[in-house]
Structures are given as C-alpha cells and as structure tokens.
Amino acid sequence: MTSAPARHDSAARMFTDSVLAPRAADRFAPWWAERARSNRFDVTQVPFDELGDWRFDPDTGNLGHVSGKFFSIEGMDVRSDSGPVRQWSQPIINQPEIGILGIIVKVFDGVPHCLMQAKMEPGNVNTLQLSPTVQATRSNYTRVHRGGRTRYLEYFAEGEDRGRVLVDVLQSEQGSWFYRKRNRNMVVEVTGDVPLHDDFCWLPLREVLDLLHTDNLVNMDARTVLSCMPFAPPPGDSGSRHAPAAFRAALARSLDRSAGSLHELGAVLSWFTGERTRHDMSARLVPANRITGWKRTAHEIVHEDGKHFRVVGVDVSATSREVQSWRQPLLAPVGRGVIAYLAKTVDGVMHVLAHARVEPGFVDTVELGPTLQLIPENYTGLPRPRYLDDVLGADPSRIRFDAHLSEEGGRFLDAQNRYLVVEVEDDFPLRVPQDYRWVTLGQLSGLLRHSHYLSVQARTLVACLHSLW
C-alpha cells in the first residue's frame, strides 16, 4: 500500500515534469473553435415572476427552487469588530450541498494531460469557458433537473476502479457572496482507456496553465483544482515566456522548502490561528425580507446606494448542457474587481504578501487571501484601501501576471476580476501590518492540501503563479 506522503511526492514530480516537458503542437485552438461553432447558447434577463420553478417565499422573502434543491437567495445579518463597516445585512447565496470539481489526468507519451471540458455557464461574459472534467452540484449529478447524466462522474465516485486519487480536499468559495459554501476539489489519475466526448479534450498541463494568461478562458472551477495540484521544485528552467528569467528562478526556489523562507511554516500557522481568534464576527442567516439597505423590484434585488451587487433572473438555452433550457437567479456584481499579490524576492526566494481576510460567509471567519481584493465602486466615500496604489500604480515592467478572469458563471453574471502579480522594488518594506505575512509558493501549496486556508481568489493566483515558473 502506498502512503499518502509518497503519493503526494509522486504526483508533485509528475506535475512538475509536465510543466518542463517540451511544448506540443497546439490542439486546443481548433477544438475550441469547433465547440463554439457546434453549440447554441442564449441568455436573456427576465423578471422574477417569469422564473418558473423559482419562487419567493411569502413568509420569508427567500428566493428558492420549488424542489428545495440547488440553492436559495436568503438574507444574512453581519456584525464585526473590524473593517470600515461594522454592521450590515445583505442577500446571500445559501447552497449547503457540496459539489464536485474534478480533473482526470492521464499520461500520454510521458506527459500528463488533463481532460478538460468546454462548458457553457449562463453568467460567463463569453458563455463558453474551459472547465474541469466534472463540475457539478449534488442536485445536478443526482439529476434533480431530470436531465442527462454528468459525464465522467464515475471516476470521482468511491470504488477501486476510479483510478489513483492525487488530490481530494474541500475548499471554500466567495465568502462575501456564499454562506459557508464548499466544493470537493479532486484530481484522479487513470491509466486505462477513457471515452472521449465532443465537449472534452486532453490538454497537457503546461498548456492549461499557459491558457490562464488569456482573458476569461479558464474558468474559476478549473483554476481552483489546478491550484490544489502539488508541484515539486523544478530541476531546471521551464523556459516560460511569461516572466523574466530572474523572476522564474526565484519563483522556482519558492517551491523548494530547503531554499528557506522569511517565516517558518509553523510561525505562519501560529500567526494565522491568532488571526482567526483575534477577530470577532457574527454572521447568521435571516429571512430575506428582514435585511435593510436593499430593495426588491420586479426585475432585481439591489442595494439602495447602487453598491455591491444585484440579484437578477435569467432565461437560458444551451444545446450542450444536461438540460437544454432552464431559468434561474444570478448574482451580478456592480463592477470589475482588482485582485493581486505583491511579490518580493527575499534571499533569492520569491515571496508573496498574503492577507488574513475576514469574510462573513467563510466557515471559519478568516482565510488567507490576496494582498489586494476589491471592487473599486464599493469604496466610494470610504478610506482608500491599503496597497491599492502599489498595485494600480505599478511600473508595467514589474507586472508579472495580468489577465481578466471570470468567477463561477453558474451563480454570477459577468463577474470579472483583473488578476495581477506585481513584483515590488527591492526597497519595498518587509515589515507589514499585523494581518499580512510574506509567504512562499511552497508554503501556500502545502496549505492547499488542507481545507479552508486559502480563499478562492488566492487559489486562482496560486494557479497563475504556477504558470510563471
């Protein structure tokens, strides 16, 4: 029997070897163009009274499906001892089901490939995005919608035939928009034949990481699974075209525990535990008709100041989905966010500045987030956020990653964020505020073997960092 650490080390070497492998001929572009041509997608906003099986409860004002499944839009009351606003209420997505986000991996000619899906989601700005092999809520894969089955689900189910499990961990989603939402992130390696369906394609891991640099292409669910993949320190330069050689070398050393770090992992964990105990936040579900500062019209639920987000209804048709037409609510943010890591080389090892971020929907109040995470429109009239000028005012020559990437299109409408990695100048201070710490990529990757340490935004940036070394 192979032990868990041995399996982890073996997987880490395999994934790293894939990144270092010579680049293969581009099979993605023609397949992607063909999938876009082959399917029809249409998404139209509709008033709430045309949502069909979705209804407002007359007693609570909660918006839910008649089956009681999928998710609901409820209210949340929040009280906090920190932040510019200490008490508020808001709509929140309550989806207690744990979904499966899984990628099948198989080695072809010595190179690991990922089985990726061209998946339509109604909230995607460009409709079609690159997704994991399986991306399904429990309601979907148990077929509450009475539609077709979820392809390849059997490879992620219990049983001896599913293959070698390389990654299996529960991770959170947006703590400002979801109430304690979690998904099971999985990677399974197979050796036998796998039937290939039209909307799926085997892509080298290196190519999937490279595609992160294309705006709104690799979806959020694929990014979170990619971030959870372990990588061993590379023995040589990958030759990535996305970052200068010195940055790549420092980032590669950041994966090597023996290369050193500003803070030992034990000290980082102690600091993080302290941050979780230092903050006092109460977040509880309440009936939606009891929240204040929000109004409901025939077409939307909206904040009275026009901030944060709206809740709207959509009518959807998609020829490539298990169900070819349906209606549902979506959460639509008021603007595009900015999400960034500041990066700094310390004694030859790249570090990023992580923030112990408090969000009301987190299971345990605090998770490690990016250096900066905000939607600028929400800060009108509030103090200027810390590190905003360092990110937006950065010399373009020091920006190592910069792409607009969408959040999960099954729940959010046109939710795009600009994701950045900015390498700061040598004189940027190592001393930072109490709720920040400089950490290595290797430390973040180690924490991703466990649940509820890194936020979904931080996990996206970890995947982006892996595309750079």
Side-chain angles (χ1 to χ4, degrees), residues 341-397:
Y341 268 143
L342 295 182
K344 180 179 174 65
T345 300
V346 181
D347 295 330
V349 177
M350 190 61 63
H351 289 62
V352 296
L353 187 57
H355 180 208
R357 184 176 174 86
V358 180
E359 293 190 15
F362 285 153
V363 171
D364 208 357
T365 306
V366 176
E367 294 192 6
L368 285 180
T371 315
L372 179 71
Q373 176 186 323
L374 57 79
I375 295 176
E377 287 84 347
N378 290 338
Y379 282 79
T380 303
L382 295 174
R384 194 161 180 82
R386 186 183 288 140
Y387 298 120
L388 178 62
D389 293 336
D390 297 289
V391 171
L392 296 186
D395 184 333
S397 69

Short mmCIF file of all heavy atoms in Angstrom, two decimals, residues 341-397:
data_model
loop_
_atom_site.label_atom_id
_atom_site.label_comp_id
_atom_site.label_asym_id
_atom_site.label_seq_id
_atom_site.Cartn_x
_atom_site.Cartn_y
_atom_site.Cartn_z
N TYR A 341 -1.55 39.82 -5.92
CA TYR A 341 -0.46 39.54 -4.99
C TYR A 341 0.67 40.52 -5.28
O TYR A 341 1.05 40.72 -6.45
CB TYR A 341 0.11 38.14 -5.21
CG TYR A 341 -0.50 37.04 -4.37
CD1 TYR A 341 -0.67 35.77 -4.92
CD2 TYR A 341 -0.84 37.24 -3.04
CE1 TYR A 341 -1.21 34.74 -4.16
CE2 TYR A 341 -1.38 36.22 -2.28
CZ TYR A 341 -1.56 34.96 -2.85
OH TYR A 341 -2.09 33.94 -2.10
N LEU A 342 1.23 41.12 -4.23
CA LEU A 342 2.54 41.74 -4.33
C LEU A 342 3.58 40.66 -4.08
O LEU A 342 3.43 39.85 -3.15
CB LEU A 342 2.68 42.87 -3.31
CG LEU A 342 1.76 44.09 -3.50
CD1 LEU A 342 2.06 45.13 -2.43
CD2 LEU A 342 1.89 44.69 -4.89
N ALA A 343 4.62 40.62 -4.89
CA ALA A 343 5.66 39.60 -4.80
C ALA A 343 7.02 40.27 -4.57
O ALA A 343 7.29 41.34 -5.13
CB ALA A 343 5.70 38.75 -6.08
N LYS A 344 7.86 39.62 -3.77
CA LYS A 344 9.17 40.19 -3.45
C LYS A 344 10.17 39.05 -3.24
O LYS A 344 9.86 38.05 -2.57
CB LYS A 344 9.07 41.04 -2.18
CG LYS A 344 10.39 41.68 -1.73
CD LYS A 344 10.18 42.52 -0.48
CE LYS A 344 11.50 43.05 0.08
NZ LYS A 344 12.14 44.00 -0.86
N THR A 345 11.35 39.20 -3.82
CA THR A 345 12.41 38.22 -3.61
C THR A 345 13.13 38.51 -2.30
O THR A 345 13.59 39.63 -2.07
CB THR A 345 13.41 38.24 -4.78
OG1 THR A 345 12.72 37.94 -6.00
CG2 THR A 345 14.51 37.21 -4.57
N VAL A 346 13.21 37.49 -1.45
CA VAL A 346 13.89 37.58 -0.15
C VAL A 346 14.96 36.50 -0.13
O VAL A 346 14.65 35.31 -0.17
CB VAL A 346 12.91 37.40 1.02
CG1 VAL A 346 13.66 37.55 2.36
CG2 VAL A 346 11.77 38.41 0.94
N ASP A 347 16.24 36.91 -0.12
CA ASP A 347 17.36 35.96 -0.13
C ASP A 347 17.24 34.95 -1.27
O ASP A 347 17.47 33.75 -1.10
CB ASP A 347 17.45 35.22 1.21
CG ASP A 347 17.79 36.15 2.37
OD1 ASP A 347 18.48 37.16 2.13
OD2 ASP A 347 17.36 35.88 3.50
N GLY A 348 16.86 35.45 -2.44
CA GLY A 348 16.78 34.62 -3.64
C GLY A 348 15.52 33.80 -3.79
O GLY A 348 15.37 33.07 -4.77
N VAL A 349 14.59 33.92 -2.82
CA VAL A 349 13.36 33.13 -2.83
C VAL A 349 12.16 34.07 -2.98
O VAL A 349 12.02 35.03 -2.21
CB VAL A 349 13.22 32.29 -1.54
CG1 VAL A 349 11.89 31.53 -1.53
CG2 VAL A 349 14.40 31.33 -1.40
N MET A 350 11.30 33.80 -3.95
CA MET A 350 10.13 34.64 -4.16
C MET A 350 9.11 34.43 -3.05
O MET A 350 8.78 33.29 -2.69
CB MET A 350 9.50 34.34 -5.51
CG MET A 350 8.41 35.34 -5.92
SD MET A 350 9.05 37.04 -6.05
CE MET A 350 10.23 36.84 -7.39
N HIS A 351 8.61 35.54 -2.51
CA HIS A 351 7.54 35.53 -1.52
C HIS A 351 6.38 36.37 -2.06
O HIS A 351 6.59 37.29 -2.85
CB HIS A 351 8.01 36.15 -0.19
CG HIS A 351 8.98 35.30 0.58
ND1 HIS A 351 10.22 34.95 0.10
CD2 HIS A 351 8.86 34.75 1.82
CE1 HIS A 351 10.84 34.22 1.01
NE2 HIS A 351 10.05 34.09 2.06
N VAL A 352 5.17 36.05 -1.61
CA VAL A 352 4.01 36.88 -1.92
C VAL A 352 3.39 37.33 -0.60
O VAL A 352 3.53 36.67 0.43
CB VAL A 352 2.96 36.15 -2.79
CG1 VAL A 352 3.55 35.82 -4.15
CG2 VAL A 352 2.43 34.91 -2.11
N LEU A 353 2.71 38.47 -0.66
CA LEU A 353 2.14 39.06 0.55
C LEU A 353 0.70 38.61 0.70
O LEU A 353 -0.18 39.03 -0.05
CB LEU A 353 2.24 40.58 0.48
CG LEU A 353 1.85 41.35 1.74
CD1 LEU A 353 2.68 40.91 2.94
CD2 LEU A 353 2.01 42.86 1.51
N ALA A 354 0.47 37.72 1.68
CA ALA A 354 -0.86 37.16 1.92
C ALA A 354 -1.58 37.97 3.00
O ALA A 354 -0.96 38.46 3.95
CB ALA A 354 -0.76 35.70 2.33
N HIS A 355 -2.88 38.05 2.88
CA HIS A 355 -3.71 38.81 3.81
C HIS A 355 -4.66 37.86 4.53
O HIS A 355 -5.35 37.07 3.89
CB HIS A 355 -4.53 39.85 3.03
CG HIS A 355 -5.42 40.70 3.88
ND1 HIS A 355 -6.58 41.25 3.40
CD2 HIS A 355 -5.31 41.10 5.18
CE1 HIS A 355 -7.16 41.96 4.37
NE2 HIS A 355 -6.41 41.87 5.45
N ALA A 356 -4.69 37.93 5.86
CA ALA A 356 -5.67 37.18 6.64
C ALA A 356 -7.00 37.91 6.51
O ALA A 356 -7.28 38.87 7.23
CB ALA A 356 -5.23 37.08 8.09
N ARG A 357 -7.82 37.46 5.60
CA ARG A 357 -9.01 38.20 5.19
C ARG A 357 -10.26 37.68 5.90
O ARG A 357 -10.52 36.47 5.91
CB ARG A 357 -9.18 38.11 3.67
CG ARG A 357 -10.33 38.91 3.12
CD ARG A 357 -10.37 38.86 1.61
NE ARG A 357 -11.57 39.51 1.09
CZ ARG A 357 -11.67 40.81 0.85
NH1 ARG A 357 -10.64 41.59 1.07
NH2 ARG A 357 -12.80 41.32 0.39
N VAL A 358 -11.03 38.59 6.43
CA VAL A 358 -12.28 38.27 7.12
C VAL A 358 -13.44 38.42 6.15
O VAL A 358 -13.61 39.49 5.54
CB VAL A 358 -12.48 39.20 8.34
CG1 VAL A 358 -13.79 38.86 9.05
CG2 VAL A 358 -11.30 39.10 9.30
N GLU A 359 -14.22 37.35 5.97
CA GLU A 359 -15.43 37.43 5.16
C GLU A 359 -16.54 36.69 5.88
O GLU A 359 -16.31 35.61 6.44
CB GLU A 359 -15.19 36.86 3.76
CG GLU A 359 -14.23 37.68 2.91
CD GLU A 359 -14.17 37.26 1.46
OE1 GLU A 359 -15.07 36.52 1.02
OE2 GLU A 359 -13.22 37.68 0.76
N PRO A 360 -17.76 37.22 5.88
CA PRO A 360 -18.82 36.67 6.72
C PRO A 360 -19.27 35.27 6.33
O PRO A 360 -19.77 34.52 7.17
CB PRO A 360 -19.96 37.68 6.57
CG PRO A 360 -19.69 38.38 5.28
CD PRO A 360 -18.20 38.44 5.16
N GLY A 361 -19.10 34.91 5.06
CA GLY A 361 -19.57 33.60 4.62
C GLY A 361 -18.58 32.48 4.78
O GLY A 361 -18.88 31.32 4.46
N PHE A 362 -17.35 32.78 5.25
CA PHE A 362 -16.37 31.72 5.46
C PHE A 362 -16.82 30.79 6.59
O PHE A 362 -17.42 31.24 7.58
CB PHE A 362 -15.00 32.29 5.82
CG PHE A 362 -14.25 32.92 4.67
CD1 PHE A 362 -13.32 33.93 4.91
CD2 PHE A 362 -14.45 32.51 3.37
CE1 PHE A 362 -12.61 34.51 3.87
CE2 PHE A 362 -13.75 33.08 2.32
CZ PHE A 362 -12.82 34.09 2.57
N VAL A 363 -16.46 29.53 6.48
CA VAL A 363 -16.78 28.57 7.54
C VAL A 363 -16.11 28.96 8.85
O VAL A 363 -16.70 28.84 9.92
CB VAL A 363 -16.35 27.15 7.11
CG1 VAL A 363 -16.47 26.17 8.28
CG2 VAL A 363 -17.20 26.67 5.93
N ASP A 364 -14.87 29.48 8.77
CA ASP A 364 -14.10 29.78 9.98
C ASP A 364 -13.63 31.24 10.01
O ASP A 364 -12.53 31.52 10.47
CB ASP A 364 -12.90 28.84 10.09
CG ASP A 364 -12.48 28.59 11.53
OD1 ASP A 364 -13.08 29.21 12.42
OD2 ASP A 364 -11.56 27.79 11.75
N THR A 365 -14.45 32.15 9.50
CA THR A 365 -14.27 33.60 9.60
C THR A 365 -13.11 34.16 8.77
O THR A 365 -13.26 35.14 8.07
CB THR A 365 -14.07 34.04 11.08
OG1 THR A 365 -15.16 33.55 11.85
CG2 THR A 365 -14.02 35.56 11.19
N VAL A 366 -11.91 33.54 8.85
CA VAL A 366 -10.72 34.09 8.21
C VAL A 366 -10.10 33.05 7.28
O VAL A 366 -9.98 31.87 7.65
CB VAL A 366 -9.67 34.51 9.27
CG1 VAL A 366 -8.38 35.00 8.59
CG2 VAL A 366 -10.23 35.61 10.17
N GLU A 367 -9.72 33.48 6.08
CA GLU A 367 -8.91 32.66 5.19
C GLU A 367 -7.80 33.54 4.62
O GLU A 367 -7.89 34.78 4.62
CB GLU A 367 -9.74 32.04 4.06
CG GLU A 367 -10.76 31.01 4.57
CD GLU A 367 -11.38 30.18 3.46
OE1 GLU A 367 -10.96 30.30 2.29
OE2 GLU A 367 -12.29 29.38 3.77
N LEU A 368 -6.74 32.90 4.13
CA LEU A 368 -5.65 33.65 3.51
C LEU A 368 -6.08 34.12 2.12
O LEU A 368 -6.40 33.31 1.26
CB LEU A 368 -4.40 32.78 3.39
CG LEU A 368 -3.61 32.52 4.67
CD1 LEU A 368 -2.42 31.63 4.38
CD2 LEU A 368 -3.17 33.82 5.31
N GLY A 369 -6.10 35.41 1.96
CA GLY A 369 -6.49 35.99 0.69
C GLY A 369 -5.32 36.66 0.01
O GLY A 369 -4.19 36.66 0.51
N PRO A 370 -5.55 37.28 -1.14
CA PRO A 370 -4.51 38.03 -1.84
C PRO A 370 -4.12 39.28 -1.06
O PRO A 370 -4.77 39.66 -0.07
CB PRO A 370 -5.17 38.39 -3.17
CG PRO A 370 -6.37 37.51 -3.28
CD PRO A 370 -6.81 37.24 -1.89
N THR A 371 -3.06 39.94 -1.51
CA THR A 371 -2.68 41.22 -0.92
C THR A 371 -3.80 42.24 -1.05
O THR A 371 -4.10 42.98 -0.11
CB THR A 371 -1.43 41.80 -1.64
OG1 THR A 371 -0.45 40.77 -1.83
CG2 THR A 371 -0.84 42.95 -0.86
N LEU A 372 -4.43 42.27 -2.21
CA LEU A 372 -5.49 43.23 -2.51
C LEU A 372 -6.65 42.51 -3.15
O LEU A 372 -6.46 41.68 -4.05
CB LEU A 372 -4.97 44.32 -3.45
CG LEU A 372 -5.97 45.40 -3.87
CD1 LEU A 372 -6.27 46.32 -2.70
CD2 LEU A 372 -5.43 46.20 -5.06
N GLN A 373 -7.87 42.82 -2.69
CA GLN A 373 -9.08 42.23 -3.28
C GLN A 373 -10.23 43.19 -3.07
O GLN A 373 -10.66 43.43 -1.93
CB GLN A 373 -9.38 40.88 -2.62
CG GLN A 373 -10.67 40.22 -3.09
CD GLN A 373 -11.01 38.98 -2.30
OE1 GLN A 373 -10.12 38.20 -1.92
NE2 GLN A 373 -12.28 38.76 -2.03
N LEU A 374 -10.73 43.77 -4.14
CA LEU A 374 -11.82 44.73 -4.01
C LEU A 374 -12.50 44.98 -5.34
O LEU A 374 -11.96 44.69 -6.40
CB LEU A 374 -11.30 46.06 -3.44
CG LEU A 374 -10.18 46.79 -4.18
CD1 LEU A 374 -10.67 47.56 -5.39
CD2 LEU A 374 -9.48 47.77 -3.24
N ILE A 375 -13.71 45.52 -5.25
CA ILE A 375 -14.39 46.13 -6.39
C ILE A 375 -14.36 47.63 -6.11
O ILE A 375 -14.95 48.10 -5.12
CB ILE A 375 -15.84 45.62 -6.52
CG1 ILE A 375 -15.84 44.12 -6.84
CG2 ILE A 375 -16.58 46.39 -7.61
CD1 ILE A 375 -17.23 43.51 -6.90
N PRO A 376 -13.63 48.42 -6.90
CA PRO A 376 -13.42 49.83 -6.56
C PRO A 376 -14.71 50.61 -6.30
O PRO A 376 -14.75 51.48 -5.42
CB PRO A 376 -12.68 50.37 -7.79
CG PRO A 376 -11.94 49.18 -8.33
CD PRO A 376 -12.86 48.02 -8.10
N GLU A 377 -15.78 50.30 -7.02
CA GLU A 377 -17.04 51.03 -6.86
C GLU A 377 -17.60 50.92 -5.44
O GLU A 377 -18.36 51.79 -4.99
CB GLU A 377 -18.09 50.53 -7.86
CG GLU A 377 -17.83 50.95 -9.30
CD GLU A 377 -16.87 50.04 -10.04
OE1 GLU A 377 -16.19 49.21 -9.40
OE2 GLU A 377 -16.78 50.16 -11.28
N ASN A 378 -17.24 49.85 -4.73
CA ASN A 378 -17.77 49.67 -3.37
C ASN A 378 -17.09 50.56 -2.34
O ASN A 378 -17.55 50.63 -1.19
CB ASN A 378 -17.63 48.20 -2.95
CG ASN A 378 -18.56 47.28 -3.72
OD1 ASN A 378 -19.57 47.72 -4.27
ND2 ASN A 378 -18.21 46.01 -3.77
N TYR A 379 -15.99 51.23 -2.72
CA TYR A 379 -15.22 52.00 -1.75
C TYR A 379 -15.42 53.51 -1.89
O TYR A 379 -14.69 54.29 -1.29
CB TYR A 379 -13.73 51.64 -1.86
CG TYR A 379 -13.44 50.33 -1.17
CD1 TYR A 379 -13.73 49.14 -1.81
CD2 TYR A 379 -12.93 50.29 0.11
CE1 TYR A 379 -13.50 47.92 -1.18
CE2 TYR A 379 -12.70 49.08 0.76
CZ TYR A 379 -12.99 47.90 0.10
OH TYR A 379 -12.78 46.69 0.73
N THR A 380 -16.43 53.91 -2.66
CA THR A 380 -16.76 55.33 -2.75
C THR A 380 -17.13 55.86 -1.37
O THR A 380 -18.00 55.32 -0.70
CB THR A 380 -17.93 55.54 -3.73
OG1 THR A 380 -17.58 54.99 -5.00
CG2 THR A 380 -18.24 57.02 -3.87
N GLY A 381 -16.43 56.91 -0.93
CA GLY A 381 -16.71 57.50 0.36
C GLY A 381 -16.04 56.82 1.53
O GLY A 381 -16.22 57.24 2.69
N LEU A 382 -15.25 55.76 1.27
CA LEU A 382 -14.55 55.04 2.33
C LEU A 382 -13.05 55.29 2.21
O LEU A 382 -12.56 55.73 1.16
CB LEU A 382 -14.85 53.53 2.23
CG LEU A 382 -16.30 53.11 2.47
CD1 LEU A 382 -16.47 51.62 2.19
CD2 LEU A 382 -16.74 53.44 3.89
N PRO A 383 -12.28 55.01 3.29
CA PRO A 383 -10.82 55.18 3.20
C PRO A 383 -10.22 54.36 2.06
O PRO A 383 -10.70 53.27 1.74
CB PRO A 383 -10.33 54.67 4.56
CG PRO A 383 -11.51 54.81 5.47
CD PRO A 383 -12.71 54.56 4.62
N ARG A 384 -9.17 54.91 1.43
CA ARG A 384 -8.53 54.23 0.31
C ARG A 384 -7.90 52.93 0.79
O ARG A 384 -7.13 52.92 1.76
CB ARG A 384 -7.47 55.13 -0.32
CG ARG A 384 -6.99 54.63 -1.69
CD ARG A 384 -6.32 55.75 -2.45
NE ARG A 384 -5.85 55.32 -3.75
CZ ARG A 384 -6.62 55.23 -4.84
NH1 ARG A 384 -7.91 55.53 -4.76
NH2 ARG A 384 -6.11 54.86 -6.01
N PRO A 385 -8.20 51.81 0.15
CA PRO A 385 -7.70 50.52 0.64
C PRO A 385 -6.17 50.43 0.61
O PRO A 385 -5.51 50.96 -0.30
CB PRO A 385 -8.33 49.51 -0.33
CG PRO A 385 -9.53 50.21 -0.87
CD PRO A 385 -9.14 51.66 -0.97
N ARG A 386 -5.63 49.73 1.57
CA ARG A 386 -4.18 49.52 1.67
C ARG A 386 -3.68 48.75 0.45
O ARG A 386 -4.33 47.83 -0.03
CB ARG A 386 -3.89 48.74 2.96
CG ARG A 386 -2.42 48.55 3.28
CD ARG A 386 -2.30 47.70 4.54
NE ARG A 386 -2.70 48.45 5.71
CZ ARG A 386 -3.42 47.94 6.72
NH1 ARG A 386 -3.82 46.68 6.65
NH2 ARG A 386 -3.72 48.67 7.76
N TYR A 387 -2.55 49.16 -0.08
CA TYR A 387 -1.84 48.55 -1.20
C TYR A 387 -2.50 48.77 -2.56
O TYR A 387 -1.98 48.28 -3.58
CB TYR A 387 -1.61 47.04 -0.97
CG TYR A 387 -0.77 46.76 0.25
CD1 TYR A 387 -1.27 46.00 1.31
CD2 TYR A 387 0.53 47.25 0.36
CE1 TYR A 387 -0.50 45.74 2.43
CE2 TYR A 387 1.30 46.99 1.49
CZ TYR A 387 0.78 46.23 2.52
OH TYR A 387 1.55 45.98 3.63
N LEU A 388 -3.60 49.51 -2.60
CA LEU A 388 -4.24 49.76 -3.90
C LEU A 388 -3.30 50.54 -4.82
O LEU A 388 -3.17 50.22 -6.01
CB LEU A 388 -5.54 50.53 -3.70
CG LEU A 388 -6.31 50.90 -4.97
CD1 LEU A 388 -6.74 49.66 -5.75
CD2 LEU A 388 -7.54 51.76 -4.63
N ASP A 389 -2.63 51.56 -4.29
CA ASP A 389 -1.73 52.36 -5.12
C ASP A 389 -0.52 51.55 -5.58
O ASP A 389 0.00 51.77 -6.69
CB ASP A 389 -1.28 53.60 -4.36
CG ASP A 389 -2.42 54.58 -4.10
OD1 ASP A 389 -3.41 54.53 -4.86
OD2 ASP A 389 -2.34 55.34 -3.12
N ASP A 390 -0.04 50.63 -4.75
CA ASP A 390 1.10 49.79 -5.13
C ASP A 390 0.76 48.88 -6.30
O ASP A 390 1.63 48.56 -7.12
CB ASP A 390 1.56 48.94 -3.94
CG ASP A 390 2.05 49.79 -2.78
OD1 ASP A 390 3.13 50.39 -2.89
OD2 ASP A 390 1.34 49.87 -1.76
N VAL A 391 -0.51 48.48 -6.38
CA VAL A 391 -0.93 47.60 -7.47
C VAL A 391 -1.27 48.41 -8.72
O VAL A 391 -0.70 48.19 -9.80
CB VAL A 391 -2.15 46.75 -7.04
CG1 VAL A 391 -2.72 45.99 -8.23
CG2 VAL A 391 -1.75 45.77 -5.93
N LEU A 392 -2.17 49.37 -8.60
CA LEU A 392 -2.62 50.11 -9.78
C LEU A 392 -1.58 51.09 -10.28
O LEU A 392 -1.58 51.46 -11.46
CB LEU A 392 -3.93 50.84 -9.47
CG LEU A 392 -5.13 49.95 -9.15
CD1 LEU A 392 -6.39 50.79 -9.02
CD2 LEU A 392 -5.32 48.88 -10.22
N GLY A 393 -0.66 51.53 -9.40
CA GLY A 393 0.39 52.44 -9.82
C GLY A 393 1.70 51.77 -10.16
O GLY A 393 2.72 52.45 -10.33
N ALA A 394 1.71 50.46 -10.27
CA ALA A 394 2.95 49.72 -10.52
C ALA A 394 3.50 50.03 -11.90
O ALA A 394 2.76 50.22 -12.87
CB ALA A 394 2.71 48.22 -10.37
N ASP A 395 4.82 50.06 -11.99
CA ASP A 395 5.51 50.16 -13.27
C ASP A 395 5.11 48.94 -14.11
O ASP A 395 5.24 47.80 -13.66
CB ASP A 395 7.02 50.15 -13.02
CG ASP A 395 7.83 50.35 -14.30
OD1 ASP A 395 7.34 49.99 -15.40
OD2 ASP A 395 8.97 50.84 -14.21
N PRO A 396 4.59 49.13 -15.31
CA PRO A 396 4.17 47.98 -16.14
C PRO A 396 5.26 46.93 -16.31
O PRO A 396 4.95 45.74 -16.48
CB PRO A 396 3.80 48.63 -17.47
CG PRO A 396 3.42 50.03 -17.12
CD PRO A 396 4.31 50.42 -15.98
N SER A 397 6.53 47.34 -16.25
CA SER A 397 7.62 46.38 -16.42
C SER A 397 7.73 45.43 -15.24
O SER A 397 8.46 44.43 -15.33
CB SER A 397 8.95 47.11 -16.63
OG SER A 397 9.35 47.78 -15.44
#
